[in-house]
Amino acid sequence: MRELLPGLLVALPLVGAALVPLVAALFRRTTRVAALTLHAAIFAAALGLFWSAAAAGPIRYAVGGWPGPWGIELWFDGLSTLIALLVAGMACFASFAQTFGPDRDRTAPASTPLREGLLRGALLLLVGGLLGIVATRDVFNLFVFLEISSLAAYTLVASGGGRSTVAAFRYLLAGTAAGSLYLFGVGFLYALTGTLNMDDLAARLPSVEADAALTVAVVLIAVGLSIKAALFPLHGWLPDTYVYTPTPAAGFIAAVMAKVSAYALLRLLGEVLAGTTAGAVVLEIMIWLGVAGVVAGGVLAVAQRAVTRMLAWSSISAMGMILIGVGMGSALAITGALFHMAAHALAKGCLFFGAGGIRALEDGDGVDRWAGLGSRAPWTLAALTVAALSMIGIPPTAGFFSKYYLLSASIAAGGPAGIAAFAAIILSSLLATVYFLRVLEAAWFRTPGDAPEADSERRPPGPVLPRPLAVPVVGLAVLVLLTGIFARPFERHVLPDWESGTARISAEAP
Amino acid sequence: MTDIVSLRPLLAVGAGLAVVLPILLSGRRPALREAWTFVAGAVQLGAALSMLPAAFAGAAHVSPALPLLPGMPLQFRADPLGLLFLTLSSVLWLATSSYSVGYLRSLGLKHQTGYFAAFAAAVAAAAGVALAANLVTFLICYEVLTLATWPLVVHKRTSGVLGSGRSYLAYTLIAGQLLLGAVVWAGTLVPGAQFTPGGFLAGAASDGVLRVLFVLLLVGVGSKAAVFPLHGWLPAAMVAPTPVSALLHAVAVVKAGAFGVLRLTGWVFGPDLMHDLGLSLPLAALAAGTILMASLRALGEDHFKRRLAYSTVSQLSYIVLGGAIGTPLALAGAAFHIVAHGFLKITLFFCAGSVYAATGREHISQLSGLGRAMPFTFAAFGVGALGMAGIPMLPGFISKWNLALGALDDHQVWVVALLVVSGLLNLAYYLPILRIAVFEPGDDRRVREPSAWLVAPPVFAALAAIVLGLNPDAGARFWFLAESAAQSVAAHAPEFLTGGLP
Amino acid sequence: MSALFLHPAFWLFIGIVVVFANRRRMPGMPVGVIVALGALLALLRGVEGTLETTVAGFRLVWFHADRLSLLFALVFAIVALLGFLYGSHRMRAGETAAALLYAGSAIATVLAGDWITFFVFWEAMALSSLALIWQGGTAGARRAGMRYLLVHATGGALLFAGIALHLAGGGETSLGALASDSPPFWLILGAVAINAAIPPLHVWLTDAYPEASTSGSVFLSAFTTKTAVYALLRLFPGTEILVPLGAAMALYGVVFAVIENDIRRLLGYHIVSQVGYMVAAVGIGTPLALNGAASHAFSHILYKALLFMGAGAAIEATGLRRLSDLGGISRQMRFAVAMYAVGALSISGAPLFNGFISKSMIVSAAGEEHLLWTELLLVLAAVGTFLSVGLKLPWFAFFGERRGVAVRPLPTNLLAAMGIGGALCLLYGLFPHLLYSRLPYLATYAPYTLDHVVSTAQLLLATGLVFYLARKTLAPSPGLALDTDWLYRIPLARAVSATTGALAGVGPVVSTLRGEAVTRLDSAARRLAAPGAPPRRRESFAFRASIGWTVLFAAVAVVITWLVVWLRNPG
Amino acid sequence: MSRRTVARLGVAVAALTAFDVIGFLSGAEHHGGIWNSVPLGDLALGVLGAGVLVWFSKRILKRLLSRPESYYDGTRQP
């Protein structure tokens, strides 16, 4: 079984993406069940890999039996299985939420079974692309998966009609530019070293260290992936994309898309290219840009009056924090970055499912639309509150622990960059306090309408969110809490792998 | 001091937390809902009392360490200072709960279920603050405390009240984030950041770094302790229902802040390091300034609860002052003041709440004649007021007296002057309340004592205060706990701090 | 435990509980009289031993009796009994309780064996007397009480600081004479000086005592100043500064009494004056002088209570309190006037009355020490005392021209109390050894020598002569005389008021500024988010630095790299 | 002055003189104050002392310190 899992993990979503529209066209009613089953199976595969990687060490899988450096290899260590688990898990929730339908905008095309099937297929394709990025050990293959996932994402973003098509087009522009830059970089690398396999690449890099083209390659790769990871100031595509994507897709895209790119950055810059001078400089720059992003994202989130747009800017802040961790590269920092990926993915997914649903049902995105929700739907709102508190970094939610690791890493790193990162993370927490509590206050303690003192309890209690959104919201909130409480085992799972991984690569370097 | 690994500390912290959900679920049945509160209070008190004998014997119950962060487990440890605070908060929680029942019912307030749930969570968090064995555990409980009390503060939910709630959160959460930074920093310098009598930071970093760290930590805990100029939220938070204010002042938020300052000065930095870094005197001066400013401010305040709030600002800086001086007697006095102020201030707030429940009056100048109409309430108020002023035979005197002697051990004569001036100001702003209420003729003959739910708690607290004043070692032996906490710190203090005792 | 029941103050404290418990069931029961009698009997029976507890590491000696403290405790018990008897027709539960606490605290203060216990009851005395003043029931009483409180709280604060310094400096925990010229010495002396009403710290007395109820002022006249005298005897015997202070004080009170119009305030100034004798005697410090101070305190309590009872009787009967309103009422209250006369002669030191046997001890002690000026001032004060208490007050209040004042009959208990008081004044005046046998120090004194009697009689008669000649000048007129209380009633009150006002103003300013700052930051952030965008469009496309900027930044990054690389390796 | 007044004064003065003579003749050493050892000393002291007291209080002090009873009304009370 262990031998089959890696293949299943990548193949299942890709096959499923083709299968589900077919099922939708033929059987109609079973689309939902089929998609959910597929997602569950993918998740099970990810979980299996996660356990076996934890129990028996990293797994190397040669696609089609062709071993590296010529064949395409998949590589599952603690790091990649963790991200895979995250992607697959979020995809389950997103698939569940897809029942809600994309039609929040009146200009969106009417939902038909086939259309639903196609969208579900797109989600599966997206998942497949992302899992491919996570798993692959081949830099060109990575580009392929990057493009697969991007194309699927454009589809999902545009499915809302109206403004979302514009947003999708803009995303497409940025994404294509990013992909092209990355591809150029890979081209340079191949020209220099003659290999695309990461391990092979790492081994051969020292011999071409002196070549100026290497610097160009590193920068191209870094810039390309940074656009995808929304590193400030290359984040321009993000706010509109997150805001105008239909809710079920937004919950998924906002949660994992940028993070997988950040993971790729970590793999390439932090592991494969870490030994190069250019890589080190780029990582240092990345810390500073991360600091700027953390602050700018926070400030601009405070300035927003629309909840989803505020969440989008908060994501830019969070991505800055993750990239700070990637840039620092110490074991603590990597732990913090990974933990923040997980914490932020769970919490932001929860919030986008919730905020999107409320925006659709309350017919507006302003903070005032949240007024009075506390008395009508206390449990849903409690879940959203947990997620918001995690974003602020209040213990014992997951966000607290990721911030804790990142702060520790900043102090341990020391120097101007360390101090700046420390201050920026604290500041972003403060800003997050401001913009999240504004919403929570309205939701829990204010009453809707112009008379704030009116009796809010007269409105009948009932669910605000339909079940397809409420279940992911509550489930993710629970996960946020659990991740926080079981932070320590998590760290134990990831760190040794990372350390041995980097140690292995530096040992292979002559 | 030997450690006994047991689950009792977890029980004490978890009791309140465990009933939050049951309370929320039994919102339709008030009797059951409130029963949960009392059950949790009793369990917490029982757990606290069961850990006392060990403390008397010089041992401490320690919970198993829950791995949480590298080198920093979630752990609770019932040392004397923590037990003192825990026992106090469980006793006063029970009193406040019964008072809350009467208060909410007699005023017919809404959102009672959320109220009781948040109350339980807040007390659990306070218990966690009390028993936290290291900085991270402390921080976690501290943040939970902030959030759990927010719904209580904005209970009325008018826009003005929400504004006050925002101000409350602004102060406490910003401080919380600074505290987070400082805790991380301290944890990096000394892995574990375990509270150690006499401090653990000595020699861990350069003097400059330690000073910065101290300021960060102080802002973190000091804003909850309402040290000037971080006190602005406290009077604003007076918009809360009275039992909440009582809890805020006597047990949970402000007291937790003051407790935090004691932990900071005695168990994180330690008196000798504070002296070496030149931090004792500035902190003492800050406390002194707070004491005087807040007292003067209280003198000019006519709103009943706000005057009490400024009194709290002033009184809690006694604790900060004791922590700053750091001699054994001063620390013991400061630790005992946690208890003394707890019983006295809760009495005062209960009385203010009873007046509001019975008459709807909120201003001191409107109290004429109420002393005769509500004799028990105002008798209790008298005890509280005099105790606050440090009148002997009441517990406030014992803390003040030991603070004075402790300051003299360190040759800080000005502290004595400060204490007596503060006592004077206390009388100057408390006794007019009694004068107006008891001795001025009233106009409303229909006023009566409110229900027994509202009369019994203040009378109980006042009687407890009298007992403590006559014998501070009565019952839970608060004085013994305060003294042994101070002694444990002093055991590490340099000689010049322990000399000079008669 | 048995010692607890022997503690006379215990009886009085128990009385408080009984009063409240008894409030509804037997409202007329004179609880105060009964428990005061109990305390008196306990004292007369002769109590010994000590009562100690340990609290928070301090040994508290609640009961420590020697001749000095027993003498004071005895007279305190007597005057408490008289006071309760005097007021039993009108004292309600609250006032009785306050008086019981006050008397009990005073007795406990003089019986205290250590500093902390002493301080405890000293403070209790201040607060219970405050409650007693507030029982006066008028707005004037409430305001005067507040001023009284602040002064006494200051005194308590000084005592607190002094004791703390004393103990921290390694001082004895038991009460005893203090080493002179140390900080605790001066702090404690200051505290005692306030309670002893040494000018300029005396105004609380003349301010507050006239505002209490008629029975309240009887209690007030007895305890606070005399515990201070006790404290001086115990702690400061032979402190030289006290001699001029006491002599000046004796005269100060007299001078103000001459122009005073309120009858009880006039008597209050005479408390200041009479305590001046005792203060001076403590300062002299010889055994005779100390005995004189103790015995004069004893006598003073009795006759001053009697005088306040007399003044109170006039107020009870007429409802008036000013000399300029009273007059011509002696026929309707002959017995009270007669008893007042006994008190007046006692305070003036007329032979056969108890003031004579104690005051002359002090004057003689001054003479023996050759303190000529002191002696002269004390004699002058005696002259003035007779002039205003013995002649002016009764003349204008009881005799003089009739103003048609309605006079109500006085209750029996009031007259009985006055009768007992008068009898005691006479008893001790006629049989001085009753008092002398209880004096604490080793010194003998014989008051009734011919020249002494004759000299005193001449002084009094000469005073009478002057009064007769100057009675028009002495006629009272409405108005008040400024005293040192002006300092805290005008400038200090203004300063405090200005400070609190300024502090109260700071809060709103700060929160306005804070709100302003938040608003500005928020709008700045919003401008950044949507530069130039009108407010209604702020939910649409915000922060234009989107795709174009992204591409631009990326391009810039690549170009710069290219340039750097190219410049480094131009080949 | 009426005759009765004169007569009263005369009696008083006579009585005082008689006392003084007795006191002087008894010859007991009394405290050493000069007014005790000089004939008519006590008397003079009484008259002078009381007179100065009345003059000082009523003429000087009263003028300096006298205020209407409403003087403190309206001042701020704690």
Side-chain angles (χ1 to χ4, degrees):
Chain A
M1 195 64 200
R2 186 176 144 93
E3 291 70 36
L4 279 176
L5 280 177
L8 273 179
L9 187 69
V10 183
L12 261 180
L14 296 179
V15 174
L19 223 67
V20 165
L22 210 64
V23 170
L26 296 176
F27 305 104
R28 301 193 169 199
R29 286 196 192 149
T30 46
T31 319
R32 207 168 288 173
V33 180
L36 268 174
T37 316
L38 268 172
H39 280 293
I42 297 165
F43 181 73
L47 199 63
L49 275 171
F50 183 79
W51 282 126
S52 65
I59 305 161
R60 191 184 292 272
Y61 177 83
V63 176
W66 297 81
W70 296 283
I72 294 169
E73 278 185 339
L74 301 183
W75 170 251
F76 295 95
D77 57 3
L79 192 63
S80 51
T81 51
L82 184 88
I83 303 296
L85 198 61
L86 197 64
V87 170
M90 281 308 299
C92 290
F93 286 114
S95 174
F96 197 87
Q98 272 191 321
T99 312
F100 179 65
D103 42 359
R104 64 165 187 79
D105 196 317
R106 283 194 200 94
T107 60
S111 185
T112 63
L114 182 61
R115 213 180 129 70
E116 188 191 335
L118 285 169
L119 286 179
R120 288 185 181 277
L123 180 65
L124 278 163
L125 194 64
L126 177 55
V127 171
L130 293 176
L131 288 176
I133 297 173
V134 170
T136 187
R137 203 62 185 162
D138 183 291
V139 283
F140 179 74
N141 195 225
L142 196 151
F143 167 74
V144 173
F145 282 121
L146 203 64
E147 285 303 304
I148 290 174
S149 65
S150 297
L151 287 171
Y154 306 146
T155 317
L156 284 170
V157 171
S159 67
R163 280 216 166 106
S164 71
T165 50
V166 182
F169 180 67
R170 290 151 64 83
Y171 184 23
L172 184 143
L173 287 180
T176 308
S180 314
L181 290 173
Y182 176 76
L183 188 60
F184 286 145
V186 168
F188 274 103
L189 278 187
Y190 187 67
L192 280 170
T193 60
T195 181
L196 291 169
N197 184 289
M198 290 188 200
D199 296 313
D200 211 22
L201 207 57
R204 293 187 192 183
L205 275 176
S207 60
V208 295
E209 170 66 40
D211 202 314
L214 181 62
T215 309
V216 176
V218 169
V219 169
L220 284 172
I221 288 172
V223 171
L225 288 179
S226 293
I227 291 176
K228 300 292 284 183
L231 173 67
F232 183 88
L234 307 173
H235 62 280
W237 59 271
L238 188 145
D240 281 350
T241 308
Y242 282 15
V243 170
Y244 295 114
T245 307
T247 300
F252 183 73
I253 290 176
V256 295
M257 274 294 280
K259 269 142 220 116
V260 169
S261 301
Y263 162 84
L265 270 175
L266 176 62
R267 267 288 181 230
L268 286 175
L269 285 176
E271 194 179 336
V272 178
L273 304 171
T276 63
T277 321
V281 173
V282 166
L283 286 176
E284 179 78 16
I285 292 171
M286 201 185 284
I287 296 177
W288 285 104
L289 291 180
V291 166
V294 165
V295 175
V299 169
L300 288 162
V302 168
Q304 305 304 324
R305 292 296 179 270
V307 176
T308 47
R309 191 167 288 277
M310 179 196 97
L311 292 175
W313 281 104
S314 145
S315 282
I316 291 168
S317 181
M319 288 315 297
M321 227 176 280
I322 291 168
L323 291 173
I324 287 175
V326 171
M328 284 178 177
S330 67
L332 261 181
I334 298 300
T335 316
L338 286 174
F339 210 144
H340 203 62
M341 284 186 202
H344 183 256
L346 297 174
K348 197 45 79 62
C350 174
L351 284 168
F352 260 107
F353 285 135
I358 288 164
R359 176 177 63 180
L361 296 167
E362 299 282 322
D363 199 23
D365 202 13
V367 174
D368 51 331
R369 302 287 172 169
W370 288 56
L373 289 182
S375 42
R376 281 162 54 211
W379 296 106
T380 317
L381 197 58
L384 291 173
T385 305
V386 168
L389 294 182
S390 174
M391 295 299 302
I392 299 171
I394 300 287
T397 56
F400 166 76
F401 294 95
S402 56
K403 273 184 191 167
Y404 192 96
Y405 282 114
L406 285 171
L407 285 172
S408 298
S410 310
I411 288 183
I419 291 169
F422 185 79
I425 293 168
I426 297 273
L427 180 68
S428 83
S429 302
L430 294 182
L431 293 169
T433 309
V434 174
Y435 54 76
F436 275 114
L437 285 176
R438 202 164 53 195
V439 179
L440 292 183
E441 181 197 275
W444 282 111
F445 304 123
R446 257 200 265 147
T447 44
D450 293 324
E453 272 119 77
D455 186 3
S456 65
E457 285 176 329
R458 239 178 279 154
R459 280 180 75 169
V464 174
L465 295 177
R467 187 169 299 160
L469 293 181
V471 169
V473 163
V474 174
L476 285 170
V478 171
L479 282 178
V480 166
L481 271 177
L482 289 179
T483 315
I485 292 165
F486 295 104
R488 190 83 171 114
F490 174 95
E491 176 213 335
R492 283 184 188 152
H493 172 74
V494 174
L495 261 192
D497 246 24
W498 172 255
E499 277 166 348
S500 66
T502 42
R504 177 173 50 80
I505 286 177
S506 48
E508 280 169 13
Chain B
M1 184 173 267
T2 50
D3 283 354
I4 308 163
V5 177
S6 78
L7 291 176
R8 290 179 201 180
L10 282 181
L11 184 64
V13 178
L17 221 50
V19 295
V20 171
L21 206 62
I23 288 175
L24 285 174
L25 291 175
S26 46
R28 299 263 167 84
R29 299 170 62 192
L32 178 65
R33 175 185 68 197
E34 281 135 35
W36 285 116
T37 302
F38 286 106
V39 166
V43 169
Q44 198 191 62
L45 182 61
L49 293 181
S50 78
M51 290 186 283
L52 281 173
F56 297 152
H61 284 270
V62 184
S63 76
L66 207 74
L68 198 67
L69 287 162
M72 284 192 157
L74 186 75
Q75 193 173 26
F76 297 101
R77 185 164 184 279
D79 73 342
L81 187 69
L83 262 184
L84 172 126
F85 189 33
L86 175 71
T87 315
L88 173 79
S89 57
S90 7
V91 171
L92 293 187
W93 183 27
L94 280 173
T96 315
S97 299
S98 85
Y99 189 84
S100 299
V101 171
Y103 189 83
L104 296 187
R105 287 190 186 165
S106 79
L107 289 176
L109 293 187
K110 290 181 290 184
H111 318 299
Q112 294 194 12
T113 305
Y115 174 92
F116 281 106
F119 220 103
V123 174
V129 166
L131 296 188
N134 53 30
L135 270 176
V136 168
T137 313
F138 181 85
L139 172 75
I140 290 175
C141 300
Y142 206 67
E143 295 277 11
V144 172
L145 180 59
T146 305
L147 289 172
T149 41
W150 182 38
L152 297 173
V153 170
V154 296
H155 189 266
K156 279 185 206 146
R157 305 188 181 181
T158 59
S159 61
V161 165
L162 289 178
S164 297
R166 242 171 271 154
S167 156
Y168 167 66
L169 281 184
Y171 277 96
T172 47
L173 283 180
I174 288 175
Q177 292 299 337
L178 293 180
L179 187 64
L180 165 68
V183 167
V184 173
W185 201 342
T188 314
L189 294 177
V190 179
Q194 190 96 17
F195 289 133
T196 314
F200 59 77
L201 280 177
S206 70
D207 284 3
V209 166
L210 287 180
R211 286 197 189 101
V212 172
L213 193 56
F214 182 81
V215 171
L216 282 178
L217 283 167
L218 183 67
V219 171
V221 291
S223 64
K224 266 215 178 74
V227 172
F228 179 84
L230 307 171
H231 66 287
W233 62 273
L234 190 56
M238 285 302 99
V239 294
T242 309
V244 173
S245 307
L247 178 89
L248 239 66
H249 287 244
V251 188
V253 178
V254 206
K255 197 51 77 59
F259 177 85
V261 175
L262 267 192
R263 278 281 193 231
L264 166 65
T265 58
W267 279 258
V268 175
F269 275 75
D272 42 353
L273 182 59
M274 297 232 323
H275 270 262
D276 291 347
L277 295 175
L279 295 168
S280 299
L281 203 59
L283 182 60
L286 190 69
T290 311
I291 290 173
L292 290 182
M293 300 277 271
S295 297
L296 282 171
R297 188 64 188 75
L299 203 56
E301 182 62 63
D302 188 41
H303 189 273
F304 199 172
K305 280 172 68 187
R306 272 206 291 275
R307 188 177 284 193
L308 297 184
Y310 281 114
S311 159
T312 300
V313 174
S314 157
Q315 289 283 333
L316 286 189
S317 275
Y318 279 30
I319 299 170
V320 177
L321 184 67
I325 297 166
T327 55
L329 280 181
L331 280 175
F336 189 74
H337 202 57
I338 291 179
V339 179
H341 179 264
F343 277 102
L344 295 169
K345 191 47 71 64
I346 213 162
T347 309
L348 295 174
F349 269 109
F350 283 163
C351 294
S354 296
V355 168
Y356 181 69
T359 67
R361 299 180 197 177
E362 288 188 298
H363 289 268
I364 291 164
S365 47
Q366 304 168 335
L367 298 179
S368 304
L370 293 186
R372 286 179 202 280
M374 307 168 67
F376 289 105
T377 301
F378 275 92
F381 185 88
V383 171
L386 295 178
M388 280 287 153
I391 295 297
M393 301 179 109
L394 290 170
F397 173 70
I398 289 165
S399 37
K400 200 166 103 172
W401 176 251
N402 284 291
L403 274 176
L405 288 189
L408 289 175
D409 286 344
D410 197 23
H411 309 293
Q412 312 262 14
V413 181
W414 62 274
V415 172
V416 180
L418 172 80
L419 289 175
V420 300
V421 170
S422 161
L424 251 175
L425 287 168
N426 270 282
L427 281 177
Y429 63 77
Y430 271 126
L431 283 199
I433 303 174
L434 278 181
R435 185 193 74 192
I436 291 169
V438 179
F439 293 98
E440 276 187 10
D443 43 6
D444 192 350
R445 298 205 164 274
R446 288 164 303 163
V447 178
R448 289 283 173 275
E449 289 275 18
S451 72
W453 285 103
L454 295 180
V455 176
V459 169
F460 159 75
L463 287 178
I466 292 173
V467 169
L468 276 180
L470 292 173
N471 181 9
D473 242 356
R477 299 191 69 190
F478 285 121
W479 174 252
F480 176 87
L481 293 174
E483 212 180 15
S484 41
Q487 289 302 336
S488 69
V489 172
H492 302 263
E495 201 155 311
F496 73 95
L497 284 175
T498 48
L501 275 174
Chain C
M1 206 58 200
S2 61
L4 179 65
F5 292 97
L6 292 176
H7 197 309
F10 174 78
W11 291 91
L12 299 173
F13 294 147
I14 286 294
I16 298 170
V17 180
V18 178
V19 163
F20 281 115
N22 206 29
R23 192 159 50 132
R24 299 242 164 73
R25 209 165 299 149
M26 295 172 66
M29 189 175 111
V31 177
V33 176
I34 294 166
V35 294
L37 200 61
L40 184 60
L41 291 177
L43 271 167
L44 286 173
R45 194 177 143 268
V47 283
E48 287 168 348
T50 58
L51 177 64
E52 298 181 7
T53 54
T54 304
V55 173
F58 283 95
R59 196 176 58 100
L60 302 184
V61 185
W62 300 95
F63 185 85
H64 176 84
D66 59 9
R67 288 176 71 92
L68 180 62
S69 45
L70 280 177
L71 182 74
F72 277 85
L74 179 66
V75 70
F76 284 167
I78 293 173
V79 78
L81 178 62
L82 290 180
F84 284 118
L85 183 59
Y86 177 82
S88 62
H89 66 285
R90 54 168 302 284
M91 284 170 83
R92 297 194 179 279
E95 188 170 1
T96 310
L100 281 169
L101 185 59
Y102 185 32
S105 314
I107 292 176
T109 308
V110 298
L111 290 175
D114 72 301
W115 283 106
I116 296 186
T117 315
F118 179 76
F119 175 71
V120 165
F121 289 110
W122 185 274
E123 291 280 77
M125 214 165 58
L127 289 170
S128 49
S129 54
L130 170 69
L132 200 55
I133 292 166
W134 277 346
Q135 293 285 354
T138 62
R142 287 189 290 272
R143 284 200 293 270
M146 210 55 224
R147 296 190 289 272
Y148 176 91
L149 166 75
L150 290 178
V151 174
H152 280 277
T154 311
L158 291 176
L159 188 61
F160 176 92
I163 294 175
L165 281 174
H166 173 73
L167 294 183
E172 289 285 321
T173 55
S174 56
L175 289 173
L178 286 163
S180 59
D181 279 345
S182 57
F185 174 88
W186 289 109
L187 285 168
I188 296 173
L189 183 60
V192 176
I194 286 178
N195 270 27
I198 297 179
L201 310 173
H202 67 290
V203 204
W204 58 268
L205 193 159
T206 53
D207 188 14
Y209 283 12
E211 304 295 340
S213 69
T214 50
S215 43
S217 56
V218 173
F219 287 100
L220 289 166
S221 74
F223 297 121
T224 301
T225 47
K226 259 56 78 186
T227 39
V229 170
Y230 163 82
L232 286 173
L233 278 166
R234 176 75 75 197
L235 310 172
F236 302 99
T239 304
E240 282 173 11
I241 181 98
L242 292 176
V243 178
L245 272 181
M249 186 179 165
L251 214 57
Y252 186 95
V254 164
V255 168
F256 273 82
V258 171
I259 52 174
E260 188 51 59
N261 187 26
D262 185 302
I263 50 176
R264 283 187 293 170
R265 182 161 294 137
L266 189 156
L267 292 176
Y269 274 115
H270 275 286
I271 296 181
V272 174
S273 167
Q274 293 298 306
V275 172
Y277 283 90
M278 305 166 210
V279 170
V282 173
I284 294 167
T286 60
L288 180 64
L290 296 178
N291 266 347
S295 56
H296 198 49
F298 190 96
S299 304
H300 175 79
I301 288 170
L302 292 176
Y303 62 67
K304 187 56 81 178
L306 186 55
L307 290 170
F308 267 100
M309 287 185 202
I315 294 170
E316 286 266 312
T318 64
L320 301 170
R321 52 189 278 190
R322 290 181 189 82
L323 285 178
S324 48
D325 298 338
L326 288 161
I329 57 169
S330 62
R331 289 189 191 179
Q332 287 99 318
M333 40 188 297
R334 285 177 199 278
F335 182 72
V337 171
M339 288 303 115
Y340 175 87
V342 171
L345 288 169
S346 296
I347 194 175
S348 310
L352 308 182
F353 297 95
N354 68 346
F356 179 73
I357 65 162
S358 52
K359 189 193 283 185
S360 54
M361 270 172 106
I362 297 172
V363 179
S364 301
E368 280 182 8
E369 292 298 301
H370 306 293
L371 298 164
L372 193 63
W373 280 102
T374 307
E375 196 187 347
L376 181 64
L377 290 177
L378 292 182
V379 169
L380 270 178
V383 168
T385 306
F386 185 57
L387 185 73
S388 50
V389 182
L391 299 168
K392 175 187 153 186
L393 193 151
W395 176 257
F396 293 109
F398 299 130
F399 305 101
E401 65 173 301
R402 294 194 183 183
R403 294 168 199 264
V405 175
V407 179
R408 287 185 289 276
L410 292 165
T412 318
N413 63 300
L414 183 152
L415 296 173
M418 291 191 74
I420 296 172
L424 285 172
C425 285
L426 266 170
L427 181 71
Y428 284 106
L430 292 171
F431 306 104
H433 70 274
L434 287 178
L435 174 58
Y436 290 172
S437 64
R438 290 182 177 273
L439 290 181
Y441 302 98
L442 283 172
T444 52
Y445 184 69
Y448 286 111
T449 58
L450 185 60
D451 65 321
H452 192 183
V453 173
V454 166
S455 148
T456 310
Q458 285 177 68
L459 282 171
L460 297 182
L461 284 172
T463 311
L465 190 65
V466 171
F467 176 77
Y468 183 71
L469 294 172
R471 65 187 186 280
K472 292 249 166 55
T473 315
L474 281 168
S477 57
L480 56 79
L482 294 186
D483 207 334
T484 49
D485 58 345
W486 180 84
L487 288 173
Y488 56 77
R489 290 178 77 166
I490 306 285
L492 184 65
R494 277 191 194 150
V496 170
S497 164
T499 314
T500 54
L503 282 178
V506 168
V509 172
V510 167
S511 59
T512 310
L513 286 178
R514 202 170 54 207
E516 180 79 2
V518 168
T519 314
R520 273 170 192 244
L521 284 177
D522 191 52
S523 61
R526 279 210 260 163
R527 273 202 299 280
L528 186 62
R536 68 191 151 73
R537 288 194 58 208
R538 66 174 176 252
E539 280 193 36
S540 63
F541 292 85
F543 197 26
R544 296 283 158 182
S546 55
I547 305 303
W549 287 106
T550 305
V551 174
L552 185 68
F553 284 128
V556 167
V558 173
V559 168
I560 287 178
T561 317
W562 207 292
L563 278 174
V564 168
V565 170
W566 183 68
L567 285 175
R568 275 224 196 123
N569 314 307
Chain D
M1 276 201 271
S2 68
R3 280 171 69 188
R4 269 181 70 185
T5 315
V6 173
R8 276 185 198 168
L9 279 173
V11 170
V13 171
L16 285 167
T17 320
F19 267 120
D20 195 58
V21 170
I22 295 168
F24 188 68
L25 290 180
S26 74
E29 177 67 23
H30 193 76
H31 311 331
I34 190 163
W35 58 93
N36 287 315
S37 44
V38 172
L40 296 177
D42 284 323
L43 215 52
L45 183 65
V47 172
L48 266 177
V52 167
L53 218 55
V54 171
W55 171 78
F56 177 73
S57 305
K58 279 299 209 181
R59 299 278 171 207
I60 310 261
L61 211 57
K62 186 155 191 190
R63 225 168 265 172
L64 282 175
L65 299 180
S66 194
R67 294 287 185 280
E69 291 215 8
S70 60
Y71 180 72
Y72 287 120
D73 292 357
T75 52
R76 194 190 125 87
Q77 298 291 331

